[in-house]
Amino acid sequence: MRRKIVVGNWKMNKTWEDARSLLMEINRFASTHKPKCLVIVAPPYPYLDRANDIFMHHVEVAAQNVSQFEKGAYTGEISAEILKSIGVKYVIIGHSERRTIHHETNEIIRDKVATALAHGLNPILCCGETLDQRVEEKHLDTVRAQIETMLDSVSSSQMQNIILAYEPVWAIGTGHTASPHQAQEMHELIRGILKEKYGDRIADETTILYGGSVNSGNADDLFAMPDIDGGLIGGASLNAGDFGSIINASCKHI
Ligand code: PEP
């Protein structure tokens, strides 16, 4: 059975003082409720190590990005090897903000996936269409092309270490959530692509998250859909109460 997962993506938010309080609140929630789904938090880079210390075994930590390069003269970049060496297990790759603001292409993202896997990190791999692509009814083709390129060199055994996240760009941070039907349609397509490439077992076992303005009010309806296995949460993950409600909503559907 595939895992239900909730990931909190903090983006570039919180000073250390505020971050520490939130990490401790999330840790308290997880220690008390012992959620059956996997909970992962992606704080800014400088807090990863300290977040790992606070969480111990209750919650996992993810980086928000990784370099596609191995090591060396890449000022400001962080390699998969460095992340692994401080105990990070997960990394978000291909977030739409990295694609648009930092010009990451599907090919760059494919290379990031390769280096993350080579160093034993588990990618949380994002895909999703823009509003124009959806209006022009190109959303299914867009996401298919993203998935096919990003997974180009990923083997069946490596696929077991990948979490996918469908995040329509028009829904991220906008308050406009995809309807459960719209999200399910895309998740079904993504699972179909995995089936074509890797067969039924891998497709059935791969966790596919939905992300895009998920909150405590809409999480339950989204997570009730058969191919939605949890969420990648931005804004609502910055509040322990909201994040806890979303975790509870995900655990209900195990
Ligand atoms: C995200 O950053 O991945 C995201 C889904 O953000 P939000 O939940 O704020 O839309």
Side-chain angles (χ1 to χ4, degrees):
M1 210 177 65
R2 56 185 178 258
R3 266 173 134 183
K4 301 281 179 183
I5 302 175
V6 176
V7 184
N9 174 17
W10 289 12
K11 313 191 188 193
M12 197 171 73
N13 288 298
K14 307 263 180 211
T15 60
W16 170 239
E17 201 184 342
D18 294 342
R20 186 168 169 275
S21 306
L22 181 54
L23 291 168
M24 286 169 72
E25 279 186 87
I26 294 169
N27 188 56
R28 229 179 344 263
F29 172 89
S31 316
T32 312
H33 294 262
K34 300 192 173 33
K36 284 193 240 100
C37 58
L38 174 62
V39 178
I40 304 174
V41 172
Y45 277 137
Y47 309 151
L48 286 170
D49 202 18
R50 294 188 260 188
N52 248 342
D53 287 345
I54 289 173
F55 287 147
M56 293 175 298
H57 301 297
H58 301 300
V59 183
E60 296 289 351
V61 165
Q64 297 176 16
N65 182 33
V66 66
S67 172
Q68 68 269 42
F69 303 113
E70 262 307 299
K71 64 168 72 175
Y74 301 101
T75 302
E77 291 291 290
I78 304 285
S79 70
E81 186 181 40
I82 291 171
L83 292 172
K84 186 72 182 172
S85 73
I86 59 161
V88 173
K89 294 187 194 152
Y90 297 87
V91 58
I92 298 172
I93 299 180
H95 192 281
S96 73
E97 288 151 17
R98 304 266 350 147
R99 291 171 185 268
T100 51
I101 303 166
H102 301 279
H103 311 294
E104 288 188 9
T105 61
N106 288 329
E107 288 72 19
I108 291 173
I109 294 163
R110 177 195 58 202
D111 293 348
K112 291 186 174 207
V113 170
T115 176
L117 289 169
H119 289 282
L121 294 176
N122 299 282
I124 301 165
L125 185 52
C126 304
C127 60
E129 81 285 359
T130 62
L131 185 57
D132 284 350
Q133 288 163 334
R134 181 160 279 266
V135 170
E136 289 166 17
E137 296 191 355
K138 292 183 180 151
H139 51 295
L140 299 176
D141 288 345
T142 300
V143 170
R144 174 179 279 277
Q146 289 174 340
I147 299 270
E148 286 180 347
T149 305
M150 295 185 308
L151 296 182
D152 191 25
S153 51
V154 173
S155 68
S156 297
S157 62
Q158 288 174 321
M159 195 58 216
Q160 295 169 14
N161 299 318
I162 292 186
I163 299 162
L164 291 175
Y166 167 56
E167 297 208 298
V169 179
W170 48 272
I172 298 178
T174 59
H176 299 297
T177 319
S179 68
H181 171 77
Q182 286 173 317
Q184 168 59 25
E185 180 193 36
M186 189 62 85
H187 282 230
E188 209 175 309
L189 172 92
I190 294 169
R191 212 174 294 287
I193 298 168
L194 297 179
K195 223 165 249 184
E196 289 164 22
K197 189 167 161 64
Y198 299 106
D200 288 356
R201 189 179 62 79
I202 300 277
D204 287 341
E205 285 176 2
T206 301
T207 296
I208 309 175
L209 309 177
Y210 168 78
S213 297
V214 176
N215 58 42
S216 50
N218 59 27
D220 196 28
D221 287 345
L222 286 159
F223 298 164
M225 303 310 284
D227 287 296
I228 300 182
D229 307 314
L232 176 49
I233 320 297
S237 72
L238 296 172
N239 176 287
D242 292 339
F243 193 50
S245 301
I246 294 168
I247 294 167
N248 284 340
S250 170
C251 293
K252 249 175 75 179
H253 298 285
I254 289 182

